Amino acid sequence: MPKHIVRLIVLVVVLLALALIAKWYFTADSFYRYGHYRANSVPEIAAQEPVFQTPRYCQSCHAERHAQWSANSHKTVICEVCHDAAQGHPQNGKLPIPSDPVKR
């Protein structure tokens, strides 16, 4: 067998071995436990505070706007899709509800 073919085969085998070692080294221990994701991420995500609320959350402060919204075709669109997440509103001082960009 020619030398350049032998070198090429050795190079491919070495690269394959390095790839397998890197996969083993960089893969988290809980990966593949429940599927193709890191199993430890499930409790981490479940422990997070919800960011998006429902339109009922906005209704207490924005009753008039909520009445207009629920009577029109936008009732299928949640407020936070356009107006930012309501997490911490109004306690954080940031008002995520901007003035209506569409004037009718």
Side-chain angles (χ1 to χ4, degrees):
M1 190 177 299
K3 286 184 180 181
H4 66 282
I5 300 297
V6 173
R7 287 185 200 140
L8 184 61
I9 291 172
V10 169
L11 179 66
V12 168
V13 169
V14 168
L15 289 176
L16 182 63
L18 287 174
L20 290 174
I21 291 170
K23 181 183 181 290
W24 169 79
Y25 182 75
F26 290 114
T27 302
D29 293 335
S30 67
F31 202 77
Y32 295 121
R33 187 179 305 160
Y34 301 126
H36 192 76
Y37 60 91
R38 190 173 55 89
N40 292 345
S41 67
V42 175
E44 291 171 9
I45 293 170
Q48 293 176 350
E49 183 180 339
V51 175
F52 284 95
Q53 307 294 325
T54 62
R56 272 190 240 136
Y57 183 84
C58 303
Q59 186 177 9
S60 61
C61 298
H62 306 282
E64 181 182 328
R65 194 64 162 142
H66 188 273
Q68 290 173 346
W69 164 81
S70 60
N72 291 317
S73 62
H74 276 85
K75 64 185 171 189
T76 58
V77 180
I78 296 174
C79 307
E80 296 158 303
V81 170
C82 299
H83 298 288
D84 200 10
Q87 181 184 31
H89 171 68
Q91 294 84 8
N92 65 5
K94 176 185 166 215
L95 296 175
I97 310 298
S99 61
D100 193 0
V102 179
K103 299 293 181 187
R104 294 178 188 189

Short mmCIF file of all heavy atoms in Angstrom, two decimals, residues 28 30 37-50:
data_model
loop_
_atom_site.label_atom_id
_atom_site.label_comp_id
_atom_site.label_asym_id
_atom_site.label_seq_id
_atom_site.Cartn_x
_atom_site.Cartn_y
_atom_site.Cartn_z
N ALA A 28 -22.14 16.60 29.13
CA ALA A 28 -22.53 16.61 30.55
C ALA A 28 -22.95 15.21 30.99
O ALA A 28 -23.43 14.40 30.19
CB ALA A 28 -23.67 17.58 30.77
N SER A 30 -25.45 14.27 32.79
CA SER A 30 -26.88 13.99 32.74
C SER A 30 -27.45 14.01 31.32
O SER A 30 -28.64 13.81 31.14
CB SER A 30 -27.63 15.00 33.60
OG SER A 30 -27.54 16.30 33.04
N TYR A 37 -31.09 15.75 25.61
CA TYR A 37 -30.87 17.02 26.30
C TYR A 37 -30.29 16.73 27.68
O TYR A 37 -30.23 15.60 28.12
CB TYR A 37 -32.17 17.83 26.41
CG TYR A 37 -33.28 17.14 27.17
CD1 TYR A 37 -33.43 17.32 28.54
CD2 TYR A 37 -34.17 16.30 26.51
CE1 TYR A 37 -34.44 16.69 29.22
CE2 TYR A 37 -35.18 15.67 27.20
CZ TYR A 37 -35.31 15.87 28.56
OH TYR A 37 -36.31 15.23 29.23
N ARG A 38 -29.85 17.79 28.36
CA ARG A 38 -29.24 17.66 29.68
C ARG A 38 -30.34 17.55 30.72
O ARG A 38 -31.14 18.46 30.92
CB ARG A 38 -28.36 18.89 29.94
CG ARG A 38 -27.48 18.80 31.14
CD ARG A 38 -26.54 19.97 31.22
NE ARG A 38 -27.22 21.25 31.19
CZ ARG A 38 -27.65 21.89 32.27
NH1 ARG A 38 -27.48 21.38 33.46
NH2 ARG A 38 -28.27 23.05 32.15
N ALA A 39 -30.44 16.43 31.41
CA ALA A 39 -31.53 16.17 32.36
C ALA A 39 -31.50 17.15 33.53
O ALA A 39 -32.56 17.48 34.08
CB ALA A 39 -31.44 14.74 32.88
N ASN A 40 -30.34 17.64 33.92
CA ASN A 40 -30.26 18.59 35.03
C ASN A 40 -30.89 19.94 34.68
O ASN A 40 -31.18 20.74 35.57
CB ASN A 40 -28.82 18.80 35.46
CG ASN A 40 -28.24 17.57 36.11
OD1 ASN A 40 -28.95 16.65 36.49
ND2 ASN A 40 -26.92 17.52 36.21
N SER A 41 -31.12 20.20 33.40
CA SER A 41 -31.73 21.47 33.02
C SER A 41 -33.21 21.52 33.36
O SER A 41 -33.77 22.60 33.53
CB SER A 41 -31.53 21.73 31.53
OG SER A 41 -32.26 20.80 30.76
N VAL A 42 -33.87 20.38 33.50
CA VAL A 42 -35.31 20.35 33.78
C VAL A 42 -35.62 21.00 35.14
O VAL A 42 -36.43 21.92 35.20
CB VAL A 42 -35.87 18.92 33.69
CG1 VAL A 42 -37.32 18.87 34.10
CG2 VAL A 42 -35.69 18.37 32.29
N PRO A 43 -34.98 20.60 36.26
CA PRO A 43 -35.28 21.28 37.52
C PRO A 43 -34.79 22.73 37.54
O PRO A 43 -35.38 23.58 38.20
CB PRO A 43 -34.57 20.44 38.59
CG PRO A 43 -33.63 19.56 37.87
CD PRO A 43 -34.12 19.44 36.46
N GLU A 44 -33.71 23.03 36.81
CA GLU A 44 -33.23 24.41 36.75
C GLU A 44 -34.26 25.32 36.09
O GLU A 44 -34.54 26.41 36.57
CB GLU A 44 -31.91 24.48 35.98
CG GLU A 44 -30.75 23.85 36.69
CD GLU A 44 -29.51 23.76 35.81
OE1 GLU A 44 -29.51 24.33 34.70
OE2 GLU A 44 -28.54 23.10 36.23
N ILE A 45 -34.84 24.86 35.00
CA ILE A 45 -35.85 25.65 34.30
C ILE A 45 -37.13 25.73 35.13
O ILE A 45 -37.77 26.79 35.20
CB ILE A 45 -36.12 25.05 32.90
CG1 ILE A 45 -34.88 25.22 32.03
CG2 ILE A 45 -37.33 25.70 32.25
CD1 ILE A 45 -34.94 24.46 30.72
N ALA A 46 -37.51 24.64 35.79
CA ALA A 46 -38.73 24.64 36.60
C ALA A 46 -38.61 25.57 37.80
O ALA A 46 -39.62 26.10 38.28
CB ALA A 46 -39.04 23.22 37.07
N ALA A 47 -37.41 25.81 38.29
CA ALA A 47 -37.21 26.68 39.45
C ALA A 47 -37.25 28.17 39.09
O ALA A 47 -37.36 29.01 39.98
CB ALA A 47 -35.88 26.35 40.12
N GLN A 48 -37.19 28.49 37.82
CA GLN A 48 -37.21 29.90 37.42
C GLN A 48 -38.60 30.49 37.61
O GLN A 48 -39.61 29.81 37.47
CB GLN A 48 -36.80 30.05 35.96
CG GLN A 48 -35.37 29.68 35.69
CD GLN A 48 -35.03 29.77 34.21
OE1 GLN A 48 -35.89 29.93 33.36
NE2 GLN A 48 -33.76 29.64 33.90
N GLU A 49 -38.62 31.78 37.92
CA GLU A 49 -39.89 32.49 38.05
C GLU A 49 -40.48 32.72 36.66
O GLU A 49 -39.76 33.12 35.74
CB GLU A 49 -39.66 33.84 38.74
CG GLU A 49 -40.91 34.61 39.00
CD GLU A 49 -40.64 35.93 39.68
OE1 GLU A 49 -39.58 36.07 40.30
OE2 GLU A 49 -41.49 36.82 39.58
N PRO A 50 -41.78 32.49 36.48
CA PRO A 50 -42.37 32.71 35.16
C PRO A 50 -42.22 34.16 34.71
O PRO A 50 -42.38 35.09 35.50
CB PRO A 50 -43.85 32.37 35.35
CG PRO A 50 -43.91 31.55 36.58
CD PRO A 50 -42.75 31.96 37.42
#
